[in-house]
Amino acid sequence: MRLLSQQKAESELLGIYGKLIALIILLLVMAYISFHYFGKINQTAQPSIQVEHSRLLNVLGVVRSQWLMRSKPDILQLDWYSDDIHSVASTGQVRMSAGGWPILNETSVAGCRQLLTELLGQGYMQQIETRFNSDTEICRYIDESGESISYQNSSGRVIFLTATN
């Protein structure tokens, strides 16, 4: 009788240990998922210049296509249409190089800002710092986190640089 009650107690104890281990594993999985989830929320909450880098590359592709379709003009008239019916379509123009990429109207910070405004729109310029290196003819657009986009006026090359902390 004593042996039977001891086996029953051990059996109950093993059941409790099994449930405890399952609970610990469940908590570890939930902690892992929650850290990844909340980490992604923080990344998406702040607008990233990396998204604008991708957008700029896409816009440059469209600009080059328009330039080719319009017989390679020196000045390309841009037509950016809004999805909003009440909004007036905005048009702008950019000077184009012989290779088919947009170039600055003036080689200065103001020229860099004007080019980015024509390509990406007005609202974006308030969030970044603009620099221009006259030796290399590179415009650099830097956001608050230190990430930046570099646009080389002489070749149309676009580079995304992460922040160095």
Side-chain angles (χ1 to χ4, degrees):
M1 185 83 156
R2 183 168 184 207
L3 190 58
L4 189 59
S5 66
Q6 186 177 357
Q7 286 177 342
K8 185 178 176 185
E10 287 176 357
S11 175
E12 288 176 4
L13 191 58
L14 284 174
I16 291 172
Y17 283 145
K19 290 177 184 176
L20 186 60
I21 290 173
L23 182 62
I24 290 171
I25 290 172
L26 179 65
L27 289 174
L28 287 173
V29 169
M30 288 178 62
Y32 177 78
I33 290 171
S34 66
F35 280 120
H36 272 0
Y37 174 75
F38 289 117
K40 298 291 182 193
I41 287 177
N42 189 23
Q43 289 176 356
T44 57
Q46 299 174 348
S48 172
I49 199 166
Q50 187 172 11
V51 173
E52 297 304 325
H53 171 251
S54 298
R55 188 170 154 228
L56 179 60
L57 291 175
N58 291 333
V59 166
L60 289 172
V62 170
V63 167
R64 182 166 171 78
S65 295
Q66 286 183 5
W67 178 74
L68 289 170
M69 288 187 330
R70 294 180 183 166
S71 303
K72 303 178 181 179
D74 292 336
I75 296 176
L76 180 65
Q77 193 71 26
L78 301 173
D79 297 320
W80 306 122
Y81 294 100
S82 173
D83 291 336
D84 185 7
I85 297 170
H86 303 292
S87 173
V88 177
S90 64
T91 61
Q93 62 183 16
V94 292
R95 287 183 43 220
M96 298 296 288
S97 71
W101 61 86
I103 56 176
L104 304 174
N105 285 336
E106 59 181 83
T107 52
S108 65
V109 170
C112 292
R113 287 184 182 167
Q114 179 187 11
L115 180 64
L116 196 66
T117 298
E118 291 296 336
L119 296 174
L120 297 182
Q122 185 66 35
Y124 185 66
M125 289 307 300
Q126 299 162 355
Q127 303 168 358
I128 62 166
E129 175 187 347
T130 305
R131 295 182 187 164
F132 178 71
N133 184 331
S134 57
D135 296 333
T136 58
E137 289 192 27
I138 293 178
C139 295
R140 188 163 179 210
Y141 307 101
I142 307 164
D143 75 355
E144 299 152 352
S145 68
E147 294 179 333
S148 66
I149 298 172
S150 293
Y151 180 76
Q152 191 168 21
N153 190 48
S154 61
S155 68
R157 186 175 179 188
V158 179
I159 300 172
F160 172 73
L161 300 169
T162 58
T164 55
N165 291 334

